[in-house]
Amino acid sequence: MRMATATTKILGVLVSIIVAVSLLPVLTETADSVNGEDNLEVLVIAGQSNAAYRQVDVSLINEEIPQPVTNVYYYGTSTQPIWFGYPSNPTYDQTLASYDIYSMVSNGQWKIGGYEPVLAESISKKSNCDVLIINVGISSATIANLTPQQIGGEYTAKVIEDALSKVDSKYHIDKLGYVWIQGESNAGTAVDGYIQQFNIVNDWYHEHGFEKCYMVQTRPENSGNAAIAQLKICQDDPTVILASTAPATFTVENGLMVSDNLHYSQQGRIIVGEDIDSKISLTPHIRDATVGGLLHVLPVLVIVAILMAAISMIYIRRSD
């Protein structure tokens, strides 16, 4: 009789486990729908050439190619993100028609340099969402060139508008904010003047739903007063987060600058990208994604627990 009782109890536990496992797809589906299976996290990277896309130079030892493995996207052509020098091509209105949203892993390997691979992959994993990175960096642009009334600002607005218009309708768009990497063309600009121009740019982003700015302090050696202004902006404006000061340590000798001593190498960009990611991870939207999902599936978990307990009690009583 005791043998039968023990066997029955074991059988009850096994049945409970089977029931729980069978309900896992329901739990997963519930968690995904809450955590944002159909959400698209959008991050803009703005500024000048150190913000803009650059092709990885695979001939350099330190130019390793990050390889995301989840649903992460960029805006541009099938082979690379968009890129413009300043002044922007006056026909960019027509050019944008040929751009679209592409997967970073559509060809099995992400072969584009920049911050995108690091940021997109990490944000996707932490938020459980797909990610779109829109790069609007313009080589040689001053901060004045990037204000809304100037051609750089107009270009920025049109690129972001066009990219968002091409997002699949299945997505709900969450705007994470924008990354600001600019200053080399404003080394001699007065600190107050730089701050005034930045506030104009920042207001535009706020008006269009990008409420957080992740500021990268550009290398002081190259950006002078602009680097000073950037620190002051972060101290005075709570919506502007100092994301990285790493470029101050970059040199050609340590492999984090390319030979022109002006642009960050891919390894340098990876370091900056990791810094930015660490700040984005602190925002409630990303930080609470997993916790929020668990809270929403908690009722289902409770039901499963009660069901398992009930099944176990039935078999135990029968065995007695």
Side-chain angles (χ1 to χ4, degrees), residues 157-182:
K158 287 184 178 295
V159 166
I160 294 174
E161 178 184 9
D162 189 64
L164 294 179
S165 73
K166 292 175 178 175
V167 169
D168 193 305
S169 60
K170 73 176 183 178
Y171 287 114
H172 167 74
I173 294 175
D174 289 322
K175 297 176 180 178
L176 285 176
Y178 71 101
V179 175
W180 184 255
I181 309 174
Q182 192 280 338

PDB file of all heavy atoms in Angstrom, residues 157-182:
ATOM      1  N   ALA A 157      15.646  65.940 -40.176  1.00  0.00           N
ATOM      2  CA  ALA A 157      14.196  65.785 -40.027  1.00  0.00           C
ATOM      3  C   ALA A 157      13.621  64.873 -41.102  1.00  0.00           C
ATOM      4  O   ALA A 157      12.784  64.002 -40.815  1.00  0.00           O
ATOM      5  CB  ALA A 157      13.525  67.156 -40.075  1.00  0.00           C
ATOM      6  N   LYS A 158      14.069  65.063 -42.334  1.00  0.00           N
ATOM      7  CA  LYS A 158      13.522  64.264 -43.434  1.00  0.00           C
ATOM      8  C   LYS A 158      13.940  62.805 -43.331  1.00  0.00           C
ATOM      9  O   LYS A 158      13.155  61.898 -43.622  1.00  0.00           O
ATOM     10  CB  LYS A 158      13.962  64.863 -44.779  1.00  0.00           C
ATOM     11  CG  LYS A 158      13.251  66.168 -45.124  1.00  0.00           C
ATOM     12  CD  LYS A 158      13.633  66.669 -46.491  1.00  0.00           C
ATOM     13  CE  LYS A 158      12.868  67.943 -46.837  1.00  0.00           C
ATOM     14  NZ  LYS A 158      11.418  67.693 -46.959  1.00  0.00           N
ATOM     15  N   VAL A 159      15.176  62.555 -42.903  1.00  0.00           N
ATOM     16  CA  VAL A 159      15.643  61.168 -42.763  1.00  0.00           C
ATOM     17  C   VAL A 159      14.841  60.443 -41.686  1.00  0.00           C
ATOM     18  O   VAL A 159      14.364  59.326 -41.894  1.00  0.00           O
ATOM     19  CB  VAL A 159      17.142  61.140 -42.417  1.00  0.00           C
ATOM     20  CG1 VAL A 159      17.553  59.747 -41.946  1.00  0.00           C
ATOM     21  CG2 VAL A 159      17.971  61.536 -43.632  1.00  0.00           C
ATOM     22  N   ILE A 160      14.692  61.090 -40.531  1.00  0.00           N
ATOM     23  CA  ILE A 160      13.956  60.455 -39.434  1.00  0.00           C
ATOM     24  C   ILE A 160      12.498  60.229 -39.834  1.00  0.00           C
ATOM     25  O   ILE A 160      11.934  59.145 -39.586  1.00  0.00           O
ATOM     26  CB  ILE A 160      14.053  61.304 -38.159  1.00  0.00           C
ATOM     27  CG1 ILE A 160      15.501  61.332 -37.653  1.00  0.00           C
ATOM     28  CG2 ILE A 160      13.120  60.756 -37.069  1.00  0.00           C
ATOM     29  CD1 ILE A 160      15.739  62.257 -36.486  1.00  0.00           C
ATOM     30  N   GLU A 161      11.894  61.231 -40.457  1.00  0.00           N
ATOM     31  CA  GLU A 161      10.504  61.099 -40.897  1.00  0.00           C
ATOM     32  C   GLU A 161      10.353  59.957 -41.890  1.00  0.00           C
ATOM     33  O   GLU A 161       9.436  59.134 -41.793  1.00  0.00           O
ATOM     34  CB  GLU A 161      10.037  62.406 -41.528  1.00  0.00           C
ATOM     35  CG  GLU A 161       8.609  62.356 -42.052  1.00  0.00           C
ATOM     36  CD  GLU A 161       8.197  63.634 -42.774  1.00  0.00           C
ATOM     37  OE1 GLU A 161       9.071  64.493 -43.016  1.00  0.00           O
ATOM     38  OE2 GLU A 161       7.004  63.766 -43.114  1.00  0.00           O
ATOM     39  N   ASP A 162      11.265  59.882 -42.858  1.00  0.00           N
ATOM     40  CA  ASP A 162      11.174  58.845 -43.877  1.00  0.00           C
ATOM     41  C   ASP A 162      11.390  57.461 -43.275  1.00  0.00           C
ATOM     42  O   ASP A 162      10.669  56.514 -43.598  1.00  0.00           O
ATOM     43  CB  ASP A 162      12.206  59.098 -44.980  1.00  0.00           C
ATOM     44  CG  ASP A 162      12.013  58.177 -46.170  1.00  0.00           C
ATOM     45  OD1 ASP A 162      10.962  58.271 -46.832  1.00  0.00           O
ATOM     46  OD2 ASP A 162      12.897  57.333 -46.425  1.00  0.00           O
ATOM     47  N   ALA A 163      12.379  57.352 -42.376  1.00  0.00           N
ATOM     48  CA  ALA A 163      12.655  56.055 -41.751  1.00  0.00           C
ATOM     49  C   ALA A 163      11.454  55.563 -40.959  1.00  0.00           C
ATOM     50  O   ALA A 163      11.048  54.396 -41.076  1.00  0.00           O
ATOM     51  CB  ALA A 163      13.882  56.167 -40.851  1.00  0.00           C
ATOM     52  N   LEU A 164      10.866  56.437 -40.161  1.00  0.00           N
ATOM     53  CA  LEU A 164       9.725  56.034 -39.333  1.00  0.00           C
ATOM     54  C   LEU A 164       8.504  55.697 -40.195  1.00  0.00           C
ATOM     55  O   LEU A 164       7.704  54.833 -39.825  1.00  0.00           O
ATOM     56  CB  LEU A 164       9.385  57.137 -38.334  1.00  0.00           C
ATOM     57  CG  LEU A 164      10.447  57.412 -37.264  1.00  0.00           C
ATOM     58  CD1 LEU A 164       9.992  58.546 -36.341  1.00  0.00           C
ATOM     59  CD2 LEU A 164      10.762  56.155 -36.452  1.00  0.00           C
ATOM     60  N   SER A 165       8.382  56.360 -41.345  1.00  0.00           N
ATOM     61  CA  SER A 165       7.244  56.077 -42.227  1.00  0.00           C
ATOM     62  C   SER A 165       7.357  54.700 -42.870  1.00  0.00           C
ATOM     63  O   SER A 165       6.360  54.139 -43.332  1.00  0.00           O
ATOM     64  CB  SER A 165       7.145  57.142 -43.324  1.00  0.00           C
ATOM     65  OG  SER A 165       8.175  56.985 -44.290  1.00  0.00           O
ATOM     66  N   LYS A 166       8.566  54.146 -42.895  1.00  0.00           N
ATOM     67  CA  LYS A 166       8.793  52.853 -43.525  1.00  0.00           C
ATOM     68  C   LYS A 166       8.832  51.700 -42.517  1.00  0.00           C
ATOM     69  O   LYS A 166       9.114  50.562 -42.883  1.00  0.00           O
ATOM     70  CB  LYS A 166      10.090  52.899 -44.341  1.00  0.00           C
ATOM     71  CG  LYS A 166       9.958  53.818 -45.564  1.00  0.00           C
ATOM     72  CD  LYS A 166      11.260  53.990 -46.328  1.00  0.00           C
ATOM     73  CE  LYS A 166      11.029  54.877 -47.547  1.00  0.00           C
ATOM     74  NZ  LYS A 166      12.287  55.180 -48.275  1.00  0.00           N
ATOM     75  N   VAL A 167       8.547  52.003 -41.258  1.00  0.00           N
ATOM     76  CA  VAL A 167       8.485  50.962 -40.236  1.00  0.00           C
ATOM     77  C   VAL A 167       7.241  50.115 -40.471  1.00  0.00           C
ATOM     78  O   VAL A 167       6.159  50.634 -40.764  1.00  0.00           O
ATOM     79  CB  VAL A 167       8.441  51.586 -38.818  1.00  0.00           C
ATOM     80  CG1 VAL A 167       8.103  50.536 -37.775  1.00  0.00           C
ATOM     81  CG2 VAL A 167       9.775  52.251 -38.501  1.00  0.00           C
ATOM     82  N   ASP A 168       7.379  48.818 -40.352  1.00  0.00           N
ATOM     83  CA  ASP A 168       6.256  47.896 -40.520  1.00  0.00           C
ATOM     84  C   ASP A 168       5.117  48.297 -39.579  1.00  0.00           C
ATOM     85  O   ASP A 168       5.338  48.595 -38.410  1.00  0.00           O
ATOM     86  CB  ASP A 168       6.715  46.471 -40.203  1.00  0.00           C
ATOM     87  CG  ASP A 168       5.709  45.414 -40.641  1.00  0.00           C
ATOM     88  OD1 ASP A 168       4.541  45.506 -40.227  1.00  0.00           O
ATOM     89  OD2 ASP A 168       6.099  44.494 -41.371  1.00  0.00           O
ATOM     90  N   SER A 169       3.900  48.269 -40.092  1.00  0.00           N
ATOM     91  CA  SER A 169       2.739  48.716 -39.323  1.00  0.00           C
ATOM     92  C   SER A 169       2.443  47.834 -38.115  1.00  0.00           C
ATOM     93  O   SER A 169       1.657  48.211 -37.245  1.00  0.00           O
ATOM     94  CB  SER A 169       1.499  48.762 -40.229  1.00  0.00           C
ATOM     95  OG  SER A 169       1.228  47.470 -40.772  1.00  0.00           O
ATOM     96  N   LYS A 170       3.075  46.668 -38.031  1.00  0.00           N
ATOM     97  CA  LYS A 170       2.827  45.782 -36.880  1.00  0.00           C
ATOM     98  C   LYS A 170       3.462  46.333 -35.608  1.00  0.00           C
ATOM     99  O   LYS A 170       3.123  45.901 -34.509  1.00  0.00           O
ATOM    100  CB  LYS A 170       3.382  44.386 -37.142  1.00  0.00           C
ATOM    101  CG  LYS A 170       4.901  44.286 -37.094  1.00  0.00           C
ATOM    102  CD  LYS A 170       5.374  42.862 -37.273  1.00  0.00           C
ATOM    103  CE  LYS A 170       6.903  42.755 -37.137  1.00  0.00           C
ATOM    104  NZ  LYS A 170       7.368  41.371 -37.250  1.00  0.00           N
ATOM    105  N   TYR A 171       4.372  47.290 -35.751  1.00  0.00           N
ATOM    106  CA  TYR A 171       5.123  47.781 -34.598  1.00  0.00           C
ATOM    107  C   TYR A 171       4.467  48.981 -33.922  1.00  0.00           C
ATOM    108  O   TYR A 171       3.888  49.853 -34.576  1.00  0.00           O
ATOM    109  CB  TYR A 171       6.525  48.213 -35.019  1.00  0.00           C
ATOM    110  CG  TYR A 171       7.472  47.091 -35.336  1.00  0.00           C
ATOM    111  CD1 TYR A 171       7.951  46.913 -36.630  1.00  0.00           C
ATOM    112  CD2 TYR A 171       7.905  46.210 -34.347  1.00  0.00           C
ATOM    113  CE1 TYR A 171       8.840  45.898 -36.933  1.00  0.00           C
ATOM    114  CE2 TYR A 171       8.788  45.192 -34.638  1.00  0.00           C
ATOM    115  CZ  TYR A 171       9.255  45.035 -35.933  1.00  0.00           C
ATOM    116  OH  TYR A 171      10.139  44.030 -36.223  1.00  0.00           O
ATOM    117  N   HIS A 172       4.622  49.005 -32.609  1.00  0.00           N
ATOM    118  CA  HIS A 172       4.405  50.220 -31.838  1.00  0.00           C
ATOM    119  C   HIS A 172       5.787  50.825 -31.616  1.00  0.00           C
ATOM    120  O   HIS A 172       6.696  50.154 -31.117  1.00  0.00           O
ATOM    121  CB  HIS A 172       3.754  49.923 -30.495  1.00  0.00           C
ATOM    122  CG  HIS A 172       3.804  51.090 -29.543  1.00  0.00           C
ATOM    123  ND1 HIS A 172       2.999  52.192 -29.690  1.00  0.00           N
ATOM    124  CD2 HIS A 172       4.579  51.330 -28.461  1.00  0.00           C
ATOM    125  CE1 HIS A 172       3.270  53.066 -28.733  1.00  0.00           C
ATOM    126  NE2 HIS A 172       4.232  52.556 -27.967  1.00  0.00           N
ATOM    127  N   ILE A 173       5.980  52.078 -31.988  1.00  0.00           N
ATOM    128  CA  ILE A 173       7.298  52.704 -31.933  1.00  0.00           C
ATOM    129  C   ILE A 173       7.549  53.328 -30.565  1.00  0.00           C
ATOM    130  O   ILE A 173       6.762  54.140 -30.080  1.00  0.00           O
ATOM    131  CB  ILE A 173       7.430  53.779 -33.032  1.00  0.00           C
ATOM    132  CG1 ILE A 173       7.391  53.123 -34.416  1.00  0.00           C
ATOM    133  CG2 ILE A 173       8.727  54.568 -32.859  1.00  0.00           C
ATOM    134  CD1 ILE A 173       7.392  54.108 -35.569  1.00  0.00           C
ATOM    135  N   ASP A 174       8.653  52.925 -29.934  1.00  0.00           N
ATOM    136  CA  ASP A 174       9.123  53.535 -28.690  1.00  0.00           C
ATOM    137  C   ASP A 174      10.407  54.301 -29.007  1.00  0.00           C
ATOM    138  O   ASP A 174      11.391  53.704 -29.446  1.00  0.00           O
ATOM    139  CB  ASP A 174       9.421  52.471 -27.626  1.00  0.00           C
ATOM    140  CG  ASP A 174       8.158  51.830 -27.087  1.00  0.00           C
ATOM    141  OD1 ASP A 174       7.160  52.557 -26.920  1.00  0.00           O
ATOM    142  OD2 ASP A 174       8.177  50.616 -26.843  1.00  0.00           O
ATOM    143  N   LYS A 175      10.379  55.603 -28.798  1.00  0.00           N
ATOM    144  CA  LYS A 175      11.551  56.429 -29.100  1.00  0.00           C
ATOM    145  C   LYS A 175      12.444  56.517 -27.860  1.00  0.00           C
ATOM    146  O   LYS A 175      12.092  57.161 -26.881  1.00  0.00           O
ATOM    147  CB  LYS A 175      11.107  57.821 -29.555  1.00  0.00           C
ATOM    148  CG  LYS A 175      10.305  57.787 -30.859  1.00  0.00           C
ATOM    149  CD  LYS A 175       9.780  59.159 -31.242  1.00  0.00           C
ATOM    150  CE  LYS A 175       8.983  59.093 -32.538  1.00  0.00           C
ATOM    151  NZ  LYS A 175       8.403  60.417 -32.913  1.00  0.00           N
ATOM    152  N   LEU A 176      13.601  55.858 -27.940  1.00  0.00           N
ATOM    153  CA  LEU A 176      14.511  55.825 -26.808  1.00  0.00           C
ATOM    154  C   LEU A 176      15.203  57.167 -26.585  1.00  0.00           C
ATOM    155  O   LEU A 176      15.589  57.499 -25.469  1.00  0.00           O
ATOM    156  CB  LEU A 176      15.589  54.759 -27.027  1.00  0.00           C
ATOM    157  CG  LEU A 176      15.157  53.308 -26.849  1.00  0.00           C
ATOM    158  CD1 LEU A 176      16.317  52.392 -27.188  1.00  0.00           C
ATOM    159  CD2 LEU A 176      14.672  53.054 -25.442  1.00  0.00           C
ATOM    160  N   GLY A 177      15.398  57.916 -27.647  1.00  0.00           N
ATOM    161  CA  GLY A 177      16.116  59.178 -27.568  1.00  0.00           C
ATOM    162  C   GLY A 177      17.124  59.272 -28.688  1.00  0.00           C
ATOM    163  O   GLY A 177      17.025  58.565 -29.696  1.00  0.00           O
ATOM    164  N   TYR A 178      18.109  60.147 -28.507  1.00  0.00           N
ATOM    165  CA  TYR A 178      19.131  60.278 -29.544  1.00  0.00           C
ATOM    166  C   TYR A 178      20.503  60.423 -28.913  1.00  0.00           C
ATOM    167  O   TYR A 178      20.657  60.909 -27.797  1.00  0.00           O
ATOM    168  CB  TYR A 178      18.823  61.467 -30.463  1.00  0.00           C
ATOM    169  CG  TYR A 178      19.008  62.845 -29.854  1.00  0.00           C
ATOM    170  CD1 TYR A 178      20.153  63.603 -30.126  1.00  0.00           C
ATOM    171  CD2 TYR A 178      18.037  63.400 -29.016  1.00  0.00           C
ATOM    172  CE1 TYR A 178      20.325  64.872 -29.577  1.00  0.00           C
ATOM    173  CE2 TYR A 178      18.201  64.662 -28.470  1.00  0.00           C
ATOM    174  CZ  TYR A 178      19.345  65.394 -28.753  1.00  0.00           C
ATOM    175  OH  TYR A 178      19.521  66.646 -28.207  1.00  0.00           O
ATOM    176  N   VAL A 179      21.503  59.962 -29.652  1.00  0.00           N
ATOM    177  CA  VAL A 179      22.895  60.066 -29.239  1.00  0.00           C
ATOM    178  C   VAL A 179      23.501  61.273 -29.948  1.00  0.00           C
ATOM    179  O   VAL A 179      23.284  61.470 -31.144  1.00  0.00           O
ATOM    180  CB  VAL A 179      23.672  58.784 -29.613  1.00  0.00           C
ATOM    181  CG1 VAL A 179      25.154  58.943 -29.285  1.00  0.00           C
ATOM    182  CG2 VAL A 179      23.076  57.569 -28.900  1.00  0.00           C
ATOM    183  N   TRP A 180      24.256  62.089 -29.211  1.00  0.00           N
ATOM    184  CA  TRP A 180      24.876  63.284 -29.798  1.00  0.00           C
ATOM    185  C   TRP A 180      26.395  63.148 -29.751  1.00  0.00           C
ATOM    186  O   TRP A 180      26.994  63.061 -28.678  1.00  0.00           O
ATOM    187  CB  TRP A 180      24.429  64.531 -29.044  1.00  0.00           C
ATOM    188  CG  TRP A 180      24.935  65.821 -29.634  1.00  0.00           C
ATOM    189  CD1 TRP A 180      25.943  66.611 -29.155  1.00  0.00           C
ATOM    190  CD2 TRP A 180      24.440  66.481 -30.800  1.00  0.00           C
ATOM    191  NE1 TRP A 180      26.111  67.716 -29.956  1.00  0.00           N
ATOM    192  CE2 TRP A 180      25.201  67.664 -30.980  1.00  0.00           C
ATOM    193  CE3 TRP A 180      23.435  66.183 -31.724  1.00  0.00           C
ATOM    194  CZ2 TRP A 180      24.986  68.550 -32.035  1.00  0.00           C
ATOM    195  CZ3 TRP A 180      23.222  67.057 -32.778  1.00  0.00           C
ATOM    196  CH2 TRP A 180      23.974  68.224 -32.931  1.00  0.00           C
ATOM    197  N   ILE A 181      27.017  63.109 -30.949  1.00  0.00           N
ATOM    198  CA  ILE A 181      28.476  63.010 -31.055  1.00  0.00           C
ATOM    199  C   ILE A 181      28.925  64.071 -32.059  1.00  0.00           C
ATOM    200  O   ILE A 181      28.953  63.841 -33.274  1.00  0.00           O
ATOM    201  CB  ILE A 181      28.910  61.602 -31.518  1.00  0.00           C
ATOM    202  CG1 ILE A 181      28.253  60.519 -30.647  1.00  0.00           C
ATOM    203  CG2 ILE A 181      30.431  61.471 -31.461  1.00  0.00           C
ATOM    204  CD1 ILE A 181      28.512  59.110 -31.116  1.00  0.00           C
ATOM    205  N   GLN A 182      29.271  65.241 -31.561  1.00  0.00           N
ATOM    206  CA  GLN A 182      29.588  66.374 -32.434  1.00  0.00           C
ATOM    207  C   GLN A 182      30.472  67.360 -31.680  1.00  0.00           C
ATOM    208  O   GLN A 182      30.348  67.491 -30.462  1.00  0.00           O
ATOM    209  CB  GLN A 182      28.291  67.062 -32.885  1.00  0.00           C
ATOM    210  CG  GLN A 182      28.410  68.063 -34.014  1.00  0.00           C
ATOM    211  CD  GLN A 182      28.905  69.438 -33.575  1.00  0.00           C
ATOM    212  OE1 GLN A 182      28.778  69.799 -32.399  1.00  0.00           O
ATOM    213  NE2 GLN A 182      29.472  70.196 -34.496  1.00  0.00           N
TER     214      GLN A 182
END
